[in-house]
Amino acid sequence: MPALACVDTSYVFSGDDVFIPSSPDRWSSSLSSSLYKIDGWGAPYFTVNTSGNISVRPHGCDTLPHQDIDLLKIVKKVTDPKLSGGLGLQLPLIIRFPDVLKNRLECLQSAFDFAVESQGYENHYQGVFPVKCNQDRFVVEDIVKFGSGFRFGLEAGSKPEILLALSCLCKGNPDAFLVCNGFKDAEYVSLALLGRKLELNTVIVLEQEEELDLVIELSKKMNVKPVIGLRAKLRTKHEGHFGATSGEKSKFGLTTTQIVHVVRKLSQAGMLDCLQLLHFHIGSQIPSTSLLSDGVSEAAQLYCELVRLGAHMKVIDIGGGLGIDYDGSKSGKSDLSIAYTLEEYAEAVVASVRFVCDRRSVKHPVICSESGRAIVSHHSVLIFEAVSAVKPSVHQASPDDIQFLLESEEARANYEDLYAALMRGDHESCLLYVDQLKQRCAEGFKDGVLSIEQLVSVDGLCEWVLKAIGASDSVQTYNINLSVFTSIPDLWGIDQLFPIVPIHKLDQRPGARGILSDLTCDSDGKIDKFIGGETSLPLHELDNGGRYFLGMFLGGAYEEALGGVHNLFGGPSVVRVSQSDGPHSFAVTRAVPGQSSADVLRAMHHEPELMFQTLKHRAEELMHTKGGGDNEGEEEDDDEYNNVAVRLDRSFHNMPYLATEQGSLSNSLSAAINNLGFYYCDEDNFDYCSV
C-alpha cells in the first residue's frame, strides 16, 4: 500500500502525483479517473460520467455526447428480475460492445491507409484476425462483416478454427485472406485446399519443412493449385514474457537453411509460383516501434531474397504483436504497456517495408498483419460483484490482558524494549521487537504455555503498536463472485494484469484499500497485484444491503477460450450491447445465461440427469423407510420428497456462482426458463435473444 503523507489540511498525496481531497465532500469523478488511470488505459472508449459511473464511448473519438452508454444501467437491465423489466441473468457477466469492435477495425485500417498514402507506398494493407484470440461465433462473424469493405480476413491455427473461418468467410469479401498457420496433418491441408475449391483466398503457411511434402502431394490429388506461405524464424526478438515466442529458437517457423530447401523443392516440383507470402512473428505486445522496425526490415530482406530466387511473392505478413496499453503508462517498459499509437505502428511498418524494397528494386508487397488483442480487447468488459469484505479484526488489549507478559523475565524484557522504542519514536526497533514478541508468544502457544486468549491479547498489543507508528496493514479482503481461473486465467497463469475498477460510486472517495478473493477453494484464487505496481486497490466500503460492482477491462482477447472449469465454476453470462438512439442509448441484442451446474458437470463427463435420478431415488427410499403408515404422515412425506426433488433440480440448473439476495429471485426464474429451453425476445430492446 503506498504511504499517505499529509500535504495540507484538505489534500493527501496518493503516490502517483495525484492530489486527492481528504474530505469526501470534495471528491469528484475526475479524481477517480486519475486515481484508477482510466484516461490512460481507457481512452477513447471508457470514461467516468457525472453520475460517478463508468461510461462506454462505443464509437471511440467519434462518439457523440448522447451516445455514451452507462455500464451500471446495463448491469441493472441485465440482472433485474423479469417481473420488474430486467432480463433475470446472474453475475458474473461479460458485456460485449460490437460498436467498439467495429471502431477498432476501422481505426487499424485507417492508420495503415494513411501511412500507405502519405509515404507513397505502392500497394495496400489488408489484415486478418487470429481467431484463437476469441473464437466466439458472434465476435468472428462481426469482424468478417465489419471488415468486408476493406478485405479483412481471418487466421486459423487448428482444424476446428479452419472450419469456422471457412464458414464465416463465405459471407465476407472474396479477396479476404484465410491464413492457415499451425501444425498440419493431411486433413488440415485438405481443408485449406478445399477453401481454394470454394473460391476462398486461403494461404497455407508452412511452419515446418516436412509440411511441404503434404501440400505438394494433396494439391496434385485434389487438382488444386495452392497458395503457399512460409513462416520465417527471424533473428530479431524482444525481451519479456512474450519474447519467448520469437527468435531463432522459437516454437514455429523455418530457419534460413530450411527456407532455401523449401524454395528448391518447390522449384523441382514446378510450383515455385505458388510461394507468394512470407510470414513472421517477433512476439506479442511489441513495446516499441524501434524493435518493430528492426523485425520488419529483417523480414523485408528475406522477402526480397525470395523474389530474387524466383518465387512469385505478393504478401508480407508481419504477424501479431500490435500491443495495447494495459496500465495506461504508455511507457513500453513492461509487457503491460506500449510506447506508440496505432498510427505510429502503421507508419513504422510501411516505412520499413518500403525502404528495403525500394533499395532492392522490388515491387511493394501487400502488407498483412495478424493483430488480435489490439482488435478485440477493448470491446469486452467482465462485470462481477463484491459480496462481502473481511476487515482486519484485532482484539483491543487492556493492561489486565497483558499482565501475563510481566510474569516471565524474558517476555517482560521484550515488552519493556518494545515500550521504550515506542516512547523514543524508534520505529525500526518497534518493528523488530513486535516480530520478536509475536514469535516468542506463538512458540509458547505451541508448547501449551499460553492460552488462546493470551495469544489474542498479544496480537492486539502488537497491532496497536503498528498503528501508532503508521505501519499497520489495513488492507481488506473483498470476496468477489467470480472464479479467477475461469474468467481471468492469464492473471493466474502468466501474471498478466488488467485494469480493474468499480463501475459506479466514482463520484465518492474510496475509503478502503482491498485485495480481491474469488470463490474457488484455491489459495491462488485471488487478485493482489494491480496496474501501476499496486498490491491493493482503492475501493469503497460495502453498504449494508447495497451492491458493489467491479469491472475488469481490456480482457476481450484469449481469456474466454483459455478459462477452464476449476472447482466446476462455469463461464459467465454474456450479453451483446449496441449503441441505440433510444432513451437509454443502448439496446441489448443478445443475452445468454452462464453455464449451469449441470453444464459444467457434463463437461467433466458426469451425467447430471443420471445423478439427479440417483438422488431422487435415494430420497424416495428414505421417505418410505421412515413413513409411519397413516395417511397424514404419508402426505407430509410426499411433500418433503417433492421439496427435495425440486431443490435438487433447481441446483442442477442454476449457475454455480453465488446467488446474491437481490438476484436470487431472478436466478430461479432464469434457471426455470433455461430448463424449459424457451426462446424469448423483449421487443423494446432486442433484435434477437436466446436463453
Side-chain angles (χ1 to χ4, degrees):
M1 183 178 72
L4 297 177
C6 290
V7 177
D8 58 31
T9 58
S10 58
Y11 286 84
V12 293
F13 182 66
S14 177
D16 288 309
D17 298 329
V18 180
F19 288 91
I20 299 173
S22 59
S23 168
D25 297 335
R26 301 186 64 177
W27 196 260
S28 68
S29 297
S30 61
L31 287 170
S32 281
S33 187
S34 298
L35 179 64
Y36 294 105
K37 302 178 176 64
I38 296 171
D39 290 338
W41 55 260
Y45 300 107
F46 304 103
T47 186
V48 184
N49 62 30
T50 54
S51 298
N53 303 332
I54 295 282
S55 276
V56 179
R57 307 185 71 231
H59 310 298
C61 296
D62 296 327
T63 305
L64 301 175
H66 72 278
Q67 295 175 327
D68 281 8
I69 302 173
D70 191 313
L71 266 182
L72 186 62
K73 290 182 179 179
I74 298 176
V75 173
K76 283 184 61 64
K77 172 66 179 176
V78 168
T79 60
D80 280 352
K82 292 186 182 163
L83 297 177
S84 60
L87 304 184
L89 295 186
Q90 186 181 344
L91 296 179
L93 170 73
I94 289 175
I95 306 176
R96 293 202 183 106
F97 296 94
D99 295 311
V100 172
L101 191 60
K102 183 173 186 285
N103 185 264
R104 292 298 294 173
L105 278 170
E106 291 173 345
C107 287
L108 176 62
Q109 185 69 38
S110 295
F112 271 99
D113 287 347
F114 179 79
V116 164
E117 183 178 357
S118 63
Q119 297 187 42
Y121 191 81
E122 296 175 355
N123 218 317
H124 66 274
Y125 165 81
Q126 62 179 92
V128 296
F129 171 69
V131 296
K132 66 176 177 286
C133 283
N134 194 322
Q135 296 101 332
D136 180 82
R137 169 191 166 188
F138 297 96
V139 172
V140 179
E141 287 183 352
D142 278 344
I143 287 171
V144 171
K145 179 176 69 174
F146 297 150
S148 180
F150 36 86
R151 298 166 289 199
F152 211 89
L154 300 173
E155 180 267 342
S158 69
K159 287 179 277 190
E161 288 184 353
I162 288 185
L163 289 169
L164 76 86
L166 289 170
S167 175
C168 290
L169 287 173
C170 284
K171 302 175 183 177
N173 191 310
D175 294 327
F177 292 127
L178 169 50
V179 177
C180 302
N181 290 330
F183 290 104
K184 301 170 187 68
D185 61 7
E187 184 181 9
Y188 184 118
V189 174
S190 296
L191 283 172
L193 293 172
L194 282 174
R196 302 298 301 180
K197 278 185 173 290
L198 296 172
E199 297 186 353
L200 297 175
N201 196 5
T202 59
V203 182
I204 301 174
V205 177
L206 304 178
E207 305 278 11
Q208 301 177 96
E209 186 178 351
E210 55 265 29
E211 292 173 355
L212 179 58
D213 294 330
L214 268 179
V215 174
I216 293 174
E217 178 187 353
L218 290 170
S219 62
K220 291 179 179 178
K221 281 184 179 180
M222 296 174 64
N223 194 28
V224 177
K225 186 172 184 178
V227 173
I228 299 173
L230 57 83
R231 177 167 173 166
K233 287 185 178 181
L234 300 188
R235 316 296 173 97
T236 305
K237 63 175 295 182
H238 75 80
E239 302 302 323
H241 169 78
F242 297 110
T245 62
S246 61
E248 291 183 277
K249 296 184 179 180
S250 61
K251 176 180 176 181
F252 288 119
L254 307 179
T255 64
T256 50
T257 300
Q258 291 172 320
I259 289 173
V260 172
H261 289 170
V262 165
V263 170
R264 287 175 180 170
K265 189 173 290 188
L266 283 171
S267 181
Q268 291 167 2
M271 296 175 62
L272 190 54
D273 61 330
C274 295
L275 180 56
Q276 299 181 13
L277 178 146
L278 175 69
H279 171 44
F280 69 93
H281 178 67
I282 60 173
S284 298
Q285 281 288 107
I286 296 173
S288 66
T289 53
S290 59
L291 177 64
L292 174 68
S293 296
D294 285 346
V296 173
S297 296
E298 181 185 349
Q301 291 288 357
L302 274 175
Y303 180 92
C304 292
E305 284 296 295
L306 289 170
V307 171
R308 183 181 65 81
L309 292 172
H312 288 204
M313 301 300 292
K314 295 180 180 179
V315 184
I316 186 166
D317 180 349
I318 65 173
L322 173 56
I324 61 171
D325 200 11
Y326 287 101
D327 64 7
S329 68
K330 297 178 173 59
S331 65
K333 295 181 180 179
S334 73
D335 292 333
L336 296 178
S337 68
I338 54 171
Y340 53 82
T341 63
L342 273 179
E343 291 75 18
E344 290 167 341
Y345 175 88
E347 181 182 353
V349 171
V350 173
S352 299
V353 177
R354 181 183 60 81
F355 177 79
V356 172
C357 289
D358 285 351
R359 191 171 61 178
R360 299 287 300 271
S361 300
V362 170
K363 183 180 178 181
H364 296 170
V366 173
I367 295 175
C368 176
S369 73
E370 300 178 7
S371 301
R373 71 177 71 234
I375 291 174
V376 296
S377 292
H378 298 78
H379 96 288
S380 177
V381 181
L382 173 67
I383 305 293
F384 52 94
E385 183 177 7
V387 293
S388 63
V390 180
K391 300 180 180 181
S393 177
V394 180
H395 173 69
Q396 299 294 323
S398 67
D400 292 338
D401 291 335
I402 58 174
Q403 184 65 31
F404 70 92
L405 290 175
L406 306 178
E407 297 171 1
S408 162
E409 184 175 344
E410 188 177 11
R412 183 172 64 249
N414 194 195
Y415 173 74
E416 289 174 350
D417 288 341
L418 174 60
Y419 181 80
L422 183 63
M423 289 300 99
R424 66 175 182 267
D426 185 351
H427 293 179
E428 188 173 340
S429 294
C430 283
L431 293 173
L432 175 63
Y433 294 139
V434 161
D435 286 342
Q436 291 177 351
L437 182 60
K438 293 185 75 169
Q439 184 177 354
R440 183 168 291 115
C441 290
E443 291 171 355
F445 178 74
K446 293 175 186 177
D447 293 337
V449 177
L450 296 185
S451 67
I452 189 172
E453 292 89 352
Q454 291 172 324
L455 192 64
V456 166
S457 297
V458 171
D459 288 339
L461 170 66
C462 293
E463 182 61 25
W464 181 86
V465 172
L466 293 175
K467 282 186 176 180
I469 65 174
S472 177
D473 183 4
S474 58
V475 173
Q476 301 182 28
T477 298
Y478 283 67
N479 299 313
I480 56 174
N481 201 6
L482 184 76
S483 164
V484 165
F485 304 91
T486 300
S487 294
I488 325 177
D490 274 350
L491 186 145
W492 164 73
I494 61 172
D495 290 328
Q496 171 72 53
L497 302 185
F498 299 90
I500 297 175
V501 182
I503 67 166
H504 59 140
K505 296 189 175 182
L506 296 177
D507 55 349
Q508 303 171 31
R509 184 179 188 272
R513 295 194 71 97
I515 63 172
L516 308 179
S517 174
D518 77 355
L519 298 182
T520 62
C521 297
D522 195 305
S523 57
D524 287 330
K526 63 180 180 181
I527 306 174
D528 55 6
K529 295 178 182 177
F530 304 90
I531 63 170
E534 301 290 341
T535 56
S536 62
L537 189 68
L539 295 169
H540 304 83
E541 298 282 359
L542 298 187
D543 298 330
N544 291 329
R547 304 185 73 178
Y548 192 49
F549 300 110
L550 299 161
M552 187 203 81
F553 296 80
L554 309 187
Y558 297 108
E559 302 312 288
E560 294 175 54
L562 287 174
V565 288
H566 185 59
N567 275 175
L568 296 187
F569 285 108
S573 303
V574 181
V575 295
R576 191 170 182 270
V577 177
S578 295
Q579 186 267 320
S580 167
D581 292 331
H584 300 296
S585 76
F586 70 89
V588 180
T589 57
R590 180 176 171 80
V592 180
Q595 290 174 292
S596 67
S597 293
D599 292 332
V600 292
L601 285 165
R602 199 174 289 113
M604 298 304 292
H605 310 295
H606 296 278
E607 299 182 38
E609 294 79 12
L610 182 59
M611 296 165 68
F612 177 57
Q613 293 301 325
T614 299
L615 292 167
K616 273 178 60 177
H617 181 64
R618 177 62 175 267
E620 188 175 16
E621 283 182 335
L622 292 174
M623 177 193 71
H624 290 310
T625 300
K626 70 177 185 177
D630 59 274
N631 290 335
E632 184 176 346
E634 288 181 3
E635 290 179 1
E636 291 179 358
D637 289 343
D638 286 342
D639 289 341
E640 183 177 351
Y641 166 74
N642 289 332
N643 285 335
V644 169
V646 168
R647 289 185 179 185
L648 285 170
D649 182 65
R650 183 183 303 155
S651 292
F652 274 108
H653 289 95
N654 276 343
M655 284 180 72
Y657 294 93
L658 299 182
T660 58
E661 184 177 351
Q662 295 90 337
S664 58
L665 174 61
S666 61
N667 297 337
S668 298
L669 287 171
S670 291
I673 292 172
N674 192 35
N675 192 21
L676 291 171
F678 285 169
Y679 288 81
Y680 69 88
C681 185
D682 178 343
E683 293 181 359
D684 292 333
N685 288 306
F686 282 76
D687 296 327
Y688 168 76
C689 179
S690 71
V691 172

